[in-house]
Amino acid sequence: MSPETKPILSVRKLVKRFGGFVALDGLTFHAAPGEVLGLVGPNGSGKTTAINVISGLYAPDGGEVVFDDVSIGGTASHKLVHRGINRTFQVPKPFMSLTVRENVRVALAYGHIGGTPPALDALLDEYRLAAVADRPAADLNSAQQKMLDLVRALATRPRLLLLDELAAGLNPAELDWIAGRIKQLAAGGMSIIVVEHLMGFIEHITDRVIVLNAGREIFEGKLAAAVQEPQVIEVFLGGEHAA
Amino acid sequence: MPNAVKHVLFILVPLIAVFAVLPGVYQNHLLLFNFVTFLILAQGVNIIYGFTGYLPFGYVGFFGAGAYGFAVLVMHYQSPALVAVLAAGLVGVLLGLLLTPLLRLSGAYFAIANLAASLAVLHLVANPALEGITKGPYGVSLTGTFNPSHAYYAALAVLALTVGGVVFLKNSSFGLALQAVREDAVSASMAGVNVVKMRIAAWLASALVAGLAGGIYAWYVSVFYPDNVFSGDFSIFAIVFALFGGVATISGPIIGVLILYGVYNLIGFTTPQYFQLIYGLLIMGLVLFLPAGLVSLATRRGWHVP
Ligand SMILES: Nc1ncnc2c1ncn2[C@@H]1O[C@H](COP(=O)(O)OP(=O)(O)OP(=O)(O)O)[C@@H](O)[C@H]1O
Ligand SMILES: [Mg+2]
């Protein structure tokens, strides 16, 4: 990313509470077009919650989310999808009784306003779902369901894509393959935020990482620099996911 | 040939044609009318339950409200029957609008709240204080519009409209999006679907269908009491028939009505003493062995059922 690139997403002092529990506690970061940004942190640090708020699943309790210079906090998800935000889910959420093809057709029909939708068969082919295109999503394995989540998101032509542990559960060959795909999407100008516990994978694909702890960022920069930071080391120390 | 055209040619047209011809060859017209009424109601349940997952235990509320909408227009405004039928549909839709907050509930909570709502409408209509408008518990008599054969063909028209609506749902992105909402509302919104709007649209469509059916029922029978047109049997039968055949298909609810309502009348005529027992066992068997309806016998084998 060149430093003068204008951010497409700015998250400022974001707060999200569940009852008395503060899941996001003043989270601040930005993401630029064409950039792959890693969002890392221990379990429960608020990564998924951040994605949920940015994608409109929850309204923020404080702070703001600015996308394309417009404050979008609390806007309904389907409207954000039309603006160009989409995501995948940590636990994949396809439409189980619909076929793979039907799953994607919903997003093609409703996911964007104007413009030509991407070609369905090409998308399925690209993400290795062509062979199961006419099977119900319930028949897919977990990795395939994650790909279906991703294809559904891509069918809406997002400019900001949020990937919540897309790579978890993939084998090394698949990891390489999906890393290539993600980089290619970013090269096309898409801004991609990747939540992942696999540090090797994060190292490989991200330009920059944000380290989260207890709902706020404690580091921003290259992953290589992050692992030198005493505060980051402490957060991950003894943690099962330490690099 | 596009699927929608096939579905119209091979399901809708034959169904309507058969029921248009039957009165000429079969004497029990009331039975035929009841078949048509249950075909409409079962498809109405299909729209809201099959495509969105809301189980309308109080579905009869729209039917009864439609019947009384018809009666009020005929009694107080001397409306022609067809105008009163349209008004009955409108009453169904208005009641549906009033009840849209129920859509925030899910599963059993929705079913129970919907049942309670239908009882509330019954008690409102049957309230002696409203005798001047609805004739309260004393029932209505609409001899001026009495014309069973016209009412029967109006019911057929509504059946055609309803089955046509389900053909549309089965073949359009709109119907696909409804099913997506049923499967996972969060994912549906990430596919760009306005979940609230879709649910309301399906809810109002099924309310419209039941309101029209209720209005036509009032036209056909012409004399009725609140307990007749708000009878919980209508909801239960329509739901059981739709589930027996298989929801979220065009043919499932039709098969369900033809078989189950057929058996119901057969047992009722021949061995009324065993009627409840046999019918109850049939339904239990269905729930235990075929939870996805008769059509699942075919879909399990990989055959596509429209
Ligand atoms: N809907 C909710 N209701 C109540 N608490 C919640 C809810 N969603 C998240 N939390 C809590 O907020 C905290 C942050 O959760 P979140 O899922 O964002 O963590 P995470 O960083 O994604 O963790 P992981 O790496 O395990 O996925 C956790 O303590 C979690 O229990
Ligand atoms: Mg998470």
Side-chain angles (χ1 to χ4, degrees), chain A residues 48 90 164-165:
Chain A
T48 297
Q90 186 168 344
D164 198 353
E165 302 200 19

Side-chain angles (χ1 to χ4, degrees), chain B residues 54-119:
Chain B
Y54 286 101
L55 191 58
F57 256 32
Y59 194 48
V60 72
F62 301 122
F63 183 83
Y68 269 91
F70 181 92
V72 167
L73 252 82
V74 169
M75 286 188 299
H76 300 295
Y77 302 96
Q78 285 74 46
S79 292
L82 276 179
V83 174
V85 167
L86 294 180
L90 185 66
V91 169
V93 171
L94 291 178
L95 179 59
L97 272 177
L98 197 70
L99 297 183
T100 45
L102 295 191
L103 296 175
R104 289 192 208 130
L105 305 172
S106 58
Y109 298 100
F110 172 83
I112 291 166
N114 182 218
L115 178 62
S118 75
L119 292 175

Side-chain angles (χ1 to χ4, degrees), chain A residues 82 86 93 97 110-111 152, chain B residues 174 182-184 187 190-192:
Chain A
H82 296 155
N86 219 312
K93 286 161 74 71
S97 80
Y110 285 83
R152 182 179 62 213
Chain B
F174 184 85
R182 178 196 66 201
E183 296 289 294
D184 192 316
S187 289
M190 291 320 297

